[in-house]
């Protein structure tokens, strides 16, 4: 149980275009989801906290107009990278908090974004 | 503010050696959770353990063991008889015991196990 599905697993896009990444909780309801970004050989950095039915909370330094987060249902959160540039190339991972006694947090498999 | 420090950025061992990955944390919360995750080259995060701040018992799971020392704010991870498949980046993380709060990750330790 407690599976989070993230799609796509990888995407290559042209500079200036937008890319949407989906994160779905398959067998539990996720009122809160988290979006992380990971540059090569670095740790995971929290970008924003996504709350169902309300606006996301962005971490300092993260442009909310560039990284649009929508959490319209209890099982789906999306991250849209708008007007992507090569410096946005990174590994994006979503996470949902679940109430299971063992895990606490469940992670998606990540999306590797390459902007050319 | 919370902080997790993994001082070892890279460790290289030969197969069958034991290896300990260090994790030191800082938090003002009295109740919190500590985690270890494994990130293989494919990128997904594999959950290894979650430990409540009130439970200082050490835990062993197969070749893995964890030493939680609240007095030194450390939560170290030991792999005994390491194998090539253990090669990955390992992250230690901290979360306060509040609903909806996010994980704070350490910088990660890249473990390379050579045959």
């Amino acid at each position: 149980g407690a599976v989070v599905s993230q799609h796509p697993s990888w995407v290559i896009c042209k500079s200036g275009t937008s890319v949407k990444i989906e994160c779905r909780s398959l067998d539990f309801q996720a009122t809160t989801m988290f979006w992380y970004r990971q540059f090569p050989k670095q740790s995971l950095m929290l970008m924003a906290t996504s709350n169902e039915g309300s606006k996301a909370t962005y971490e300092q330094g993260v442009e909310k107009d560039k990284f649009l987060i929508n959490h319209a249902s209890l099982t789906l959160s999306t991250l849209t990278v708008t007007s992507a540039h090569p410096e946005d190339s990174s590994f994006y991972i979503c996470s949902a908090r679940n109430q299971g006694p063992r895990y606490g947090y469940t992670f998606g498999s990540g999306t590797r974004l390459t902007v050319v | 503010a919370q902080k997790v420090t993994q001082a070892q950025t890279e460790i290289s061992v030969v197969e069958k050696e034991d290896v300990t990955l260090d994790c030191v944390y800082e938090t003002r919360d009295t109740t919190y959770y500590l985690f270890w995750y494994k990130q293989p080259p494919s990128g997904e995060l594999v959950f290894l353990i979650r430990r409540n701040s009130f439970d200082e018992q050490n835990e062993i799971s197969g070749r893995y063991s964890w030493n939680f020392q609240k007095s030194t704010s450390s939560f170290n991870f030991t792999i005994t008889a390491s194998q090539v498949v253990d090669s990955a980046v390992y992250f230690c993380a901290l979360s306060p015991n509040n609903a909806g709060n996010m994980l704070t990750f350490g910088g990660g330790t890249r473990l390379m196990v050579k045959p």
Side-chain angles (χ1 to χ4, degrees):
Chain A
V3 176
V4 170
S5 175
Q6 184 173 345
H7 292 281
S9 56
W10 60 270
V11 57
I12 301 173
C13 71
K14 290 185 176 180
S15 194
T17 61
S18 296
V19 173
K20 180 185 283 188
I21 301 169
E22 291 190 350
C23 183
R24 293 180 184 272
S25 56
L26 297 186
D27 48 5
F28 67 101
Q29 293 183 333
T31 55
T32 302
M33 289 190 177
F34 306 95
W35 287 94
Y36 294 86
R37 179 168 54 184
Q38 184 182 29
F39 291 109
K41 296 192 175 183
Q42 293 188 24
S43 186
L44 285 79
M45 299 302 295
L46 180 69
M47 298 176 66
T49 302
S50 165
N51 298 298
E52 185 267 336
S54 64
K55 291 183 178 180
T57 303
Y58 290 82
E59 294 300 299
Q60 194 172 9
V62 178
E63 300 174 60
K64 61 180 181 181
D65 294 331
K66 181 171 185 61
F67 298 98
L68 300 179
I69 291 174
N70 184 283
H71 194 158
S73 78
L74 287 170
T75 59
L76 174 64
S77 177
T78 60
L79 167 66
T80 301
V81 183
T82 62
S83 187
H85 290 288
E87 57 265 31
D88 298 324
S89 298
S90 186
F91 190 62
Y92 294 86
I93 309 177
C94 66
S95 170
R97 187 180 174 101
N98 67 72
Q99 300 306 311
R102 176 171 171 76
Y103 297 101
Y105 298 87
T106 302
F107 285 83
S109 55
T111 298
R112 196 164 301 280
L113 170 64
T114 302
V115 185
V116 297
Chain B
Q2 300 182 129
K3 186 178 179 181
V4 178
T5 302
Q6 294 179 253
Q8 306 146 309
T9 53
E10 286 193 9
I11 299 176
S12 181
V13 299
V14 176
E15 208 169 18
K16 297 185 183 178
E17 284 185 13
D18 298 347
V19 58
T20 295
L21 283 61
D22 298 332
C23 173
V24 175
Y25 62 92
E26 296 175 30
T27 181
R28 293 182 178 178
D29 296 299
T30 55
T31 305
Y32 49 89
Y33 287 101
L34 294 162
F35 300 78
W36 275 95
Y37 290 92
K38 175 182 180 180
Q39 187 179 42
S42 55
E44 81 273 18
L45 283 174
V46 178
F47 169 87
L48 296 178
I49 191 172
R50 180 180 83 163
R51 176 49 51 88
N52 184 300
S53 55
F54 291 116
D55 181 5
E56 288 194 67
Q57 281 192 333
N58 291 331
E59 182 159 337
I60 298 175
S61 176
R63 296 184 297 107
Y64 296 168
S65 62
W66 291 269
N67 185 342
F68 178 27
Q69 296 278 346
K70 208 168 181 179
S71 60
T72 56
S73 298
S74 65
F75 187 42
N76 297 337
F77 172 34
T78 298
I79 301 175
T80 57
S82 60
Q83 300 176 1
V84 173
V85 293
D86 295 328
S87 297
V89 180
Y90 291 86
F91 290 100
C92 180
L94 168 70
S95 162
N97 189 30
N98 295 319
N101 276 27
M102 71 290 188
L103 282 167
T104 298
F105 284 87
T109 297
R110 183 176 301 275
L111 174 65
M112 293 171 285
V113 182
K114 299 177 181 178

